[in-house]
């Protein structure tokens, strides 16, 4: 099969600004222009650093912050092999280690709450000399998730629930911009009797996110939904 160019990936960075001990406000930046090619850990670190610099112009510290990136299937064949799912990378930084690992990542759209499938997560060190460390926090987690294509194209929010204190933390304002062949799908809902081909998912991660630790697809981290109950590892 001929390899097609990598589809554009939209990136958004969310900041949670600490205005006082009791009052919190979230500021989401506008989506960045579509990015081409693979994303590296250094790219995500750079996005967090820019977020920290922006935050520092308004307040000395934030309780937590995040950067996300998502990659749509590149071809119709890959779309079918992933059972109509989108690959999502969520990177969060916090001042409090007790907030990690994330309890869950979910989409709230159309009155529904849809939990994403967590494939893996990893605690990542934050450079002590960085603005990210001093403003957003020293504790960072990177995680890979699968999101239903229909939910990613709906009006709503991609959100995270931290282990403690903070739930429904807005990561991204949906909808995302899907490739034409996915937008033309009249039924982008993952079939209830299908399951993603994890070999294809792993290949996507290696292609789109070079330098990240390959996931081991932790069974314990998967939500037991009817849609994905058939996943095998």
């Amino acid at each position: 099969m001929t390899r097609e160019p990598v589809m554009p990936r939209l990136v958004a960075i969310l900041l949670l600004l600490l205005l006082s001990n009791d009052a919190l406000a979230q500021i989401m930046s506008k989506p960045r222009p579509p990015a081409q090619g693979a994303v590296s850990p250094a790219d995500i670190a750079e996005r967090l650093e820019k977020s920290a610099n922006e935050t520092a112009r308004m307040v000395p510290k934030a309780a937590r912050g995040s950067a996300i990136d998502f990659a749509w299937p590149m071809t119709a064949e890959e779309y079918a092999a992933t059972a109509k799912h989108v690959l999502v990378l969520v990177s969060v930084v916090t001042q409090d280690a007790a907030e990690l690992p994330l309890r869950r990542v979910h989409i709230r759209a159309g009155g529904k709450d849809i939990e994403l499938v967590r494939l893996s997560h990893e605690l990542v060190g934050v450079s002590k000399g960085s603005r990210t460390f001093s403003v957003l926090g020293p504790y960072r987690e990177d995680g890979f998730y699968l999101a239903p294509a229909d939910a990613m194209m709906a009006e709503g929010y991609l959100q995270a629930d931290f282990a403690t204190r903070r739930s429904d933390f807005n990561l991204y304002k949906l909808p995302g911009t899907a490739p034409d062949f996915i937008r033309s799908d009249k039924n982008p809902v993952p079939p209830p009797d299908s399951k993603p081909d994890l070999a294809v998912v792993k290949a996507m991660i290696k292609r789109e996110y070079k330098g990240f630790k390959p996931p081991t697809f932790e069974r314990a981290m998967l939500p037991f939904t009817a849609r994905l109950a058939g996943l095998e590892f």
Side-chain angles (χ1 to χ4, degrees):
M1 181 174 63
T2 302
R3 188 180 186 279
E4 297 182 8
V6 176
M7 296 304 299
R9 180 189 303 111
L10 290 181
V11 179
I13 297 176
L14 176 148
L15 300 177
L16 181 67
L17 302 180
L18 183 60
L19 301 181
S20 69
N21 290 336
D22 301 316
L24 295 173
Q26 288 181 247
I27 298 177
M28 286 192 294
S29 68
K30 295 180 180 179
R32 291 172 178 264
Q36 296 284 349
V39 169
S40 70
D43 292 329
I44 297 298
E46 182 181 356
R47 294 171 190 172
L48 289 169
E49 191 74 356
K50 289 180 179 178
S51 298
N53 287 330
E54 182 179 342
T55 303
R57 288 195 290 267
M58 295 176 279
V59 292
K61 283 190 176 183
R64 56 191 73 81
S66 72
I68 75 153
D69 194 273
F70 52 89
W72 300 88
M74 194 169 64
T75 64
E77 292 81 4
E78 196 168 69
Y79 181 53
T82 60
K84 301 187 178 184
H85 283 82
V86 181
L87 183 59
V88 181
L89 169 63
V90 175
S91 181
V92 293
V93 181
T94 176
Q95 303 285 354
D96 186 359
E99 292 195 332
L100 300 178
L102 292 178
R103 185 157 46 88
R104 67 172 186 147
V105 174
H106 57 107
I107 292 172
R108 185 154 293 160
K112 297 181 180 180
D113 189 84
I114 302 163
E115 186 169 351
L116 274 58
V117 176
R118 180 159 67 179
L119 300 173
S120 66
H121 74 105
E122 180 183 14
L123 296 178
V124 182
V126 178
S127 175
K128 290 185 178 180
S130 67
R131 186 61 68 90
T132 303
F133 186 98
S134 60
V135 177
L136 300 180
Y139 306 103
R140 172 180 162 185
E141 177 186 284
D142 293 341
F144 285 105
Y145 298 80
L146 286 178
D150 63 313
M152 290 292 286
M153 292 189 291
E155 291 282 348
Y157 285 92
L158 179 65
Q159 299 180 324
D161 293 349
F162 286 77
T164 62
R165 294 197 295 187
R166 189 66 167 92
S167 296
D168 301 333
F169 180 87
N170 288 332
L171 298 169
Y172 186 81
K173 176 70 170 66
L174 296 169
T177 303
D180 290 342
F181 73 90
I182 295 180
R183 287 202 302 269
S184 65
D185 183 0
K186 295 181 180 179
N187 184 24
V189 179
D193 58 346
S194 66
K195 58 189 177 184
D197 184 330
L198 296 182
V200 172
V201 173
K202 182 172 284 189
M204 282 184 67
I205 293 174
K206 289 182 178 179
R207 182 187 72 221
E208 304 288 350
Y209 300 102
K210 294 186 182 300
F212 285 87
K213 183 178 179 181
T216 55
F217 302 118
E218 308 160 27
R219 176 179 290 275
M221 304 311 295
L222 295 177
F224 293 97
T225 62
R227 177 184 297 157
L228 297 178
L231 277 173
E232 294 179 355
F233 300 85

